């Protein structure tokens, strides 16, 4: 006979057995009474004692460990396990002895334990949580405890501890809520604010200094005054650009979770974007070559935002291409995600390349791309992953500021992400850089 057969204790079957036993006892007493009435009284007392003993045993039986075929089953507190399983967060039930009396799959997975009966202190080394569990059992206190763990990744958890009573048993119920995402969002927001104010403070400090100089030592010197006024203009422009970019970024982020439903012709958007930048390119002595396929390239996207993407990429390309050089802007349609990555992002065999953003692979989805190629200095391979990070500028890392805001590519990345598209970069120091943005191709009308 196996262990489970011996230990299985079905309390719901007991009453039938009890009735049978009582009937047998009544028959035995009647027979005994016929033979010897004195012995029958003793027999009655003995049977009564047996019944009381069985009841007492049944009470303790509720906490006695029984077994199922595959796992040990605790009757009593463990009856609450289905309730725990219904919770999405890891949850534990801890008995008066500090042992795990019940748990859900989420808790077993996260805390890496399999069996009930283990001490809470052996699977969780958080003194505040252990104390809260103890306080819940002993004095019925409800607490919430926040703690941080950092094994492989930093994780913030809030543990809610509440007292529970089940029959005669007291226990503590622990629910663990992961707060990591909230913490990192808060940290990102704080970092962003600190960076934004730092970026704005720099031109503001220059402006203040220039005003003081014009009002003081340069007051009487018209030539000096003009020179300083020009410098003021540069700083004011920088502040304006920063504020514009910051506003753009926050506007884009606001509806980043809502994909666009409009249609736009990517070729036309590219043409318009380049027209808007032709003055800048001319002034810089850079030629822009536009390569468009025959016919329109309809995409699912918001025209204004797609213009922003192309303008930011072309603006960078012009900025980094030396006088006399040229920038190539190419629009094309392609097949699925892998196809567009090959077509738009793998052209230079010796270049470093990276997908700065990639959509989830989806069947039946085709893409259209715009690739902007320049003849600039290129970006070193080690900096590629940081492109698109807010305020990141290669020049600053190299101690050679050029006055960019470091927000242009972040804007591109967010817009493309809203469009559920991708962003690729290919760059080779000495040859140039190529950025390609791709978005979903719409059906031809
Ligand atoms: P900004 O150009 O305003 O500084 P971006 O976000 O557009 O900001 O670009 C971030 C950084 O990426 C730039 O400061 C520059 O170091 C690098 N970068 C972007 N585009 C190019 C390019 N075409 N060639 C070389 N470096 C580039």
């Amino acid at each position: 006979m196996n262990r489970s057969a011996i230990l299985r204790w079905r309390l719901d079957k007991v009453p039938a057995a009890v009735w049978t036993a009582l009937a047998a006892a009544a028959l035995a007493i009647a027979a005994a009474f016929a033979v010897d009435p004195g012995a029958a009284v003793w027999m009655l007392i003995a049977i009564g004692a047996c019944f009381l003993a069985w009841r007492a045993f049944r009470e303790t039986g509720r906490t006695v460990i029984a077994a199922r075929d595959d796992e040990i089953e605790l009757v009593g507190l463990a009856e609450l396990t289905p309730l725990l399983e219904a919770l999405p967060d890891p949850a534990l039930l801890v008995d008066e002895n500090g042992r795990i009396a019940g748990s859900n799959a989420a808790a077993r997975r996260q805390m890496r334990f399999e069996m009930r009966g283990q001490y809470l202190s052996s699977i969780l080394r958080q003194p505040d949580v252990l104390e809260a569990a103890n306080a819940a059992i002993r004095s019925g206190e409800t607490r919430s405890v926040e703690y941080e763990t950092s094994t492989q990744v930093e994780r913030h958890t809030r543990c809610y501890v509440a007292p529970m009573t089940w029959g005669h048993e007291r226990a503590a119920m622990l629910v663990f809520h992961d707060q990591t995402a909230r913490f990192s969002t808060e940290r990102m927001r704080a970092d962003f604010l600190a960076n934004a104010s730092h970026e704005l403070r720099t031109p503001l400090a220059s402006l203040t200094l220039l005003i003081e100089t014009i009002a003081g030592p340069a007051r009487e010197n018209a030539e000096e005054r003009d020179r300083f006024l020009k410098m003021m203009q540069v700083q004011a422009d920088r502040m304006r650009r920063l504020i514009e970019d910051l506003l753009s970024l926050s506007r884009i982020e606001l509806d980043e979770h809502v994909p666009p439903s409009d249609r736009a012709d990517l070729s036309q958007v590219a043409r318009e974007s380049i027209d808007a930048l032709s003055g800048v390119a001319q002034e810089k002595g850079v030629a822009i070559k536009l390569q468009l396929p025959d016919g329109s390239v309809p995409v699912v996207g918001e025209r204004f935002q797609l213009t922003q993407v192309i303008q930011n990429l072309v603006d960078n390309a012009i900025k980094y291409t030396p006088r006399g050089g040229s920038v190539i802007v190419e629009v094309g349609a392609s097949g699925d995600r892998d196809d567009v990555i090959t077509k738009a992002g793998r052209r230079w065999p010796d270049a470093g390349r990276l997908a700065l953003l990639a959509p989830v692979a989806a069947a039946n989805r085709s893409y259209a791309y715009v690739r902007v190629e320049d003849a600039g200095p290129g970006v070193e391979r080690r900096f590629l992953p940081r492109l698109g990070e807010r305020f990141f500028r290669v020049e600053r890392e190299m101690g050679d500021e050029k006055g960019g805001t470091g927000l242009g590519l972040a804007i591109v990345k967010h817009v493309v992400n809203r469009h559920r598209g991708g962003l690729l970069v290919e760059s080779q120091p000495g040859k140039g850089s190529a950025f390609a943005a791709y978005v979903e191709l719409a059906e031809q009308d």
Side-chain angles (χ1 to χ4, degrees), residues 27-247:
L27 268 175
I29 291 167
F33 196 79
V35 179
D36 177 0
V41 170
W42 282 114
M43 191 175 270
L44 198 64
I45 291 170
I47 289 171
C50 283
F51 180 69
L52 288 175
W54 172 76
R55 283 207 49 188
F57 176 70
R58 194 178 68 155
E59 284 307 313
T60 41
R62 282 198 174 276
T63 58
V64 160
I65 290 179
R68 272 203 325 229
D69 288 345
D70 50 350
E71 68 180 52
I72 298 259
E73 178 194 342
L74 193 86
V75 190
L77 273 178
E79 286 169 10
L80 296 170
T81 301
L83 201 81
L84 299 187
E85 288 294 357
L87 294 173
D89 286 330
L92 295 176
L93 207 58
V94 176
D95 71 12
E96 282 171 291
N97 303 316
R99 287 177 190 262
I100 310 291
S103 60
N104 62 2
R108 290 190 293 273
R109 216 174 23 247
Q110 195 180 83
M111 295 173 201
R112 294 167 205 276
F113 71 97
E114 276 163 22
M115 298 284 285
R116 200 191 37 239
Q118 265 180 279
Y119 282 103
L120 175 65
S121 53
S122 70
I123 60 162
L124 189 76
R125 292 175 209 288
Q126 295 298 330
D128 289 349
V129 177
L130 300 178
E131 202 197 306
N134 198 29
I137 296 168
R138 307 276 164 248
S139 42
E141 271 181 52
T142 301
R143 287 191 198 171
S144 93
V145 179
E146 214 164 276
Y147 65 91
E148 195 185 314
T149 45
S150 50
T151 32
Q152 269 168 349
V153 279
E154 200 176 280
R155 191 191 271 268
H156 295 264
T157 310
R158 180 179 280 276
C159 177
Y160 297 92
V161 186
M164 284 201 73
T165 351
W166 186 249
H168 298 291
E169 295 175 78
R170 270 131 82 78
M173 172 134 157
L174 282 69
V175 179
F176 299 83
H177 188 57
D178 192 353
Q179 310 262 76
T180 317
R182 204 200 79 209
F183 265 79
S184 45
T185 314
E186 273 170 17
R187 189 175 300 163
M188 262 170 63
R189 194 163 304 202
D191 285 354
F192 175 68
L193 273 178
N195 277 330
S197 22
H198 173 77
E199 294 288 337
L200 281 168
R201 209 178 289 136
T202 316
L204 191 63
S206 305
L207 273 176
T208 315
L209 202 71
L210 288 163
I211 291 169
E212 280 169 10
T213 318
I214 289 176
R219 197 187 189 104
E220 310 301 334
N221 187 331
E223 217 173 280
E224 284 281 277
R225 231 176 27 228
D226 281 353
R227 194 164 68 87
F228 287 125
L229 279 172
K230 275 200 190 100
M231 286 161 82
M232 282 176 75
Q233 181 77 52
V234 171
Q235 295 304 328
D237 275 351
R238 177 166 169 70
M239 283 185 83
R240 182 186 49 77
R241 264 184 293 129
L242 257 168
I243 291 165
E244 274 173 13
D245 282 355
L246 281 170
L247 286 175

Side-chain angles (χ1 to χ4, degrees), residues 238 241 245 312-321 372-380 383 386-397 401-412 425 427 432-435:
R238 177 166 169 70
R241 264 184 293 129
D245 282 355
N312 282 5
L313 294 180
V314 176
D315 190 40
N316 276 349
I318 298 172
K319 193 158 67 189
Y320 293 100
T321 298
V372 180
E373 228 175 84
D374 65 46
V379 179
E380 274 183 52
F383 291 128
R386 297 198 60 189
L387 296 176
E389 206 178 275
R390 286 160 195 206
F391 302 114
F392 173 76
R393 298 190 289 274
V394 175
E395 301 77 41
R396 187 167 56 176
E397 301 294 308
E401 277 285 21
K402 281 216 167 48
T405 61
L407 291 171
L409 286 179
I411 291 174
V412 169
V425 59
S427 191
S433 309
F435 288 83

